[in-house]
Amino acid sequence: MSAALLDELRAALGAAQVLTGSGADGYLTDQHRRLTGRALAVLRPADTAQVAQVVRLCRQHRTPIVPQGGNTGLMGAATPDDSGRAVVLSLARLNRVRAIDTDNDTLTVEAGAVLAAVQQAAREAGRLFPLSLGSEGSCTIGGNLATNAGGTQVLRYGNARELVLGLEVVTAEGEVWHGLRGLRKDNTGYALRDLYVGSEGTLGIITAATLKLYPLPQAQHTALLAFGCIHDAIAFLGVARAGFGAGLTAFELMSDTVLGLIAQHVPEQPLPLALEAPWYALIELSDSEGEQHARDRFEAVVGRAFEDGLVSDAAIAESLQQSDALWRLREEALGEAQRRDGRNIKHDVSVPISRIPDFLAATDAALQARFPGVRPVAFGHLGDGNLHYNVSHPLGGTPADLFAHEDAIHELVHDSVHPHGGSISAEHGIGQTKRDVLPRYKSAVELDLMRRLKAAFDPLGLLNPGKVLAPASLRLHEESPHP
C-alpha cells in the first residue's frame, strides 16, 4: 500500500519533491530537538493544487498528513509520531506574495512565506505588517496562523487571528476553500476563518492568507524602565495606555533574574541600567505624527511616572542604534543567556493582568517549598497577560537534576495558573506536548465541542492526528478536576 502511494505521489509532485530516507531527516525533529518522529515521506508541493492532490491521494490510502511550515513551533505540532505511517507535508515552496492592495490595506501571501519576507513586502509597499516574533527569519505565515502566534505587538495589533481577513484552505477531503476575501465586514454565517486559525493543522491545511496592513509609524521611541515591584509595573502599564493610547505597541516585562542571566552569560550585550530593581519593562511608542510629537508624549508620560514614584530608573534610546540594542536584550540575548545557563523548564501561560502579582507570588512560593533553590525566570508580554514562566536549576545543581522533576514542575505551574483564571498556553499552542494535560484544565463540555468539530471537519482523522486532542483511545482525563 505505501509503495503504491509513494509512486502516485512521485507522479503528482515529481520524484525530487518526495523525500525519503536521509533526505527527510531535517523535517522529523522539532526545534528543541526533544521530539523526533518517522515518516513515510516528506512532500514538497509547489502550489495549492498540488496540496489538494496530495490530500486526496493520502485520503484514498488512509495515510495521515502532518503539515509543516518553518518547523519553529515549540509544542511538537509539526513533528510526526514514531509509527512511520504519516507523510510530512512541507509548505515551504508555497512562498509567493500574490497581491498587495494599498487602497484596501491588505496583502495576500502563500502559507510558506517566511514572516520576515512578509514584513519586508509590506514595508516596500509603504505599510506595516505588525506580527513580530523572535523566529521571524525562519517561521512561516501559515505556521503563524495555524498556531495563532502572538509576539511582541499583541498589545496594539492583536494575535495572528486579528491580523488575517481571509484564508485559502485545503480541506480533509482535498477540496479548496477559496476564502481570500479582504473584507473587514462579512456577516454571512459561521466564521470558518477563525476555526482554522489556531487549529494547528488538525481541521484543514492553510495554503494562503489575506492579511491586514497598517500605516508605517512616522516615529518610534523605546526605553527600558525599572520598577520597585510588580505592582508598579502594572500601574505604569495603565498610565502608558492612557498617555499613549494606541501608540503603545510593546510592553515587555523582564525580572531581575532575566537581566542577571544576560549580564552573567552574554557579557557582549551590555545592560543599559544597573541591576538594582526587581522588575524591568521594555516599552515602545509608535507615533504617526512625527518625531517631535512622539518625543514630547514619551517624555511627558515617563517623566510623570518618575514624579509619582512608579519608575525608579530608565534608559531611553536616543537613536535607532540604541533602540535596536534594547530590543536585542529581549529578542536575542535573553534566549542566549538561558541557553548558556543550561536547559530550563519552559511555560507559556496567560493570566488576567490584575492577577499577575498574585500568580507570581503563589507560584514562586510553591516552587521553593517543593523544589528548594530552583530559579523562576519570568518574562513576557505584560500588556496582554502572557508570561513565559520558565524554571532553571538551582545554583550548584544541573539541568539533569531539574528535569528529573519536569512533569511535577509543569503540573505545579499549570495548577497555579488555573485558579487565577489563566490558560496553560498563551501563544505556543497545544501540539503533542500539552495534549494529554489539556483535559485537566478544559471542561468536559469544551472538550466535547472540540472533538465534535474535529470529527466534522476531519471524519477520517488524517489531518495531524494526535495533536491538540488525544485519539479517542488515549483520552487520559475525561473531565477536569478543576471547576
Side-chain angles (χ1 to χ4, degrees), residues 154-391:
V154 171
L155 171 63
R156 165 64 178 88
Y157 299 102
N159 290 307
R161 179 176 279 111
E162 283 72 54
L163 298 175
V164 60
L165 293 172
L167 294 177
E168 178 184 85
V169 177
V170 174
T171 71
E173 291 75 27
E175 298 176 337
V176 181
W177 173 45
H178 298 283
L180 293 173
R181 295 180 288 273
L183 300 175
R184 287 159 177 81
K185 289 185 175 180
D186 182 5
N187 196 13
T188 54
Y190 303 126
L192 298 178
R193 172 199 64 191
D194 291 342
L195 290 175
Y196 287 117
V197 174
S199 67
E200 302 186 47
T202 63
L203 302 182
I205 300 170
I206 296 171
T207 53
T210 297
L211 308 171
K212 294 180 185 177
L213 300 180
Y214 294 84
L216 281 169
Q218 298 302 305
Q220 290 182 306
H221 279 272
T222 311
L224 182 68
L225 308 180
F227 301 95
C229 64
I230 187 65
H231 295 279
D232 286 348
I234 291 174
F236 179 75
L237 173 62
V239 169
R241 279 176 159 157
F244 298 149
L248 181 64
T249 50
F251 201 110
E252 295 294 298
L253 183 73
M254 294 176 280
S255 68
D256 57 349
T257 302
V258 169
L259 292 186
L261 287 176
I262 294 174
Q264 177 183 354
H265 295 294
V266 194
E268 63 270 26
Q269 180 67 54
L271 300 182
L273 294 176
L275 279 176
E276 298 176 347
W279 291 99
Y280 298 81
L282 179 65
I283 69 166
E284 184 172 83
L285 164 68
S286 298
D287 194 285
S288 60
E289 298 186 38
E291 182 68 30
Q292 189 59 50
H293 184 263
R295 181 173 296 277
D296 290 346
R297 292 174 72 195
F298 201 83
E299 291 178 352
V301 171
V302 175
R304 176 62 62 86
F306 264 110
E307 294 174 5
D308 293 342
L310 290 180
V311 175
S312 61
D313 199 0
I316 300 175
E318 298 293 338
S319 65
L320 178 61
Q321 183 179 12
Q322 291 180 4
S323 176
D324 288 344
L326 290 178
W327 273 109
R328 279 197 299 274
L329 285 173
R330 172 64 178 87
E331 295 182 335
E332 298 177 17
L334 192 161
E336 181 62 19
Q338 290 184 93
R339 188 188 67 80
R340 295 179 186 180
D341 189 61
R343 288 174 54 215
N344 59 26
I345 296 175
K346 301 183 183 300
H347 303 93
D348 162 50
V349 302
S350 62
V351 294
I353 296 169
S354 59
R355 303 291 294 275
I356 286 176
D358 290 342
F359 164 75
L360 289 169
T363 311
D364 288 356
L367 279 172
Q368 293 306 321
R370 191 166 174 189
F371 309 103
V374 297
R375 293 169 294 154
V377 182
F379 60 96
H381 319 300
L382 183 64
D384 55 57
N386 178 191
L387 293 178
H388 300 295
Y389 187 90
N390 299 342
V391 181

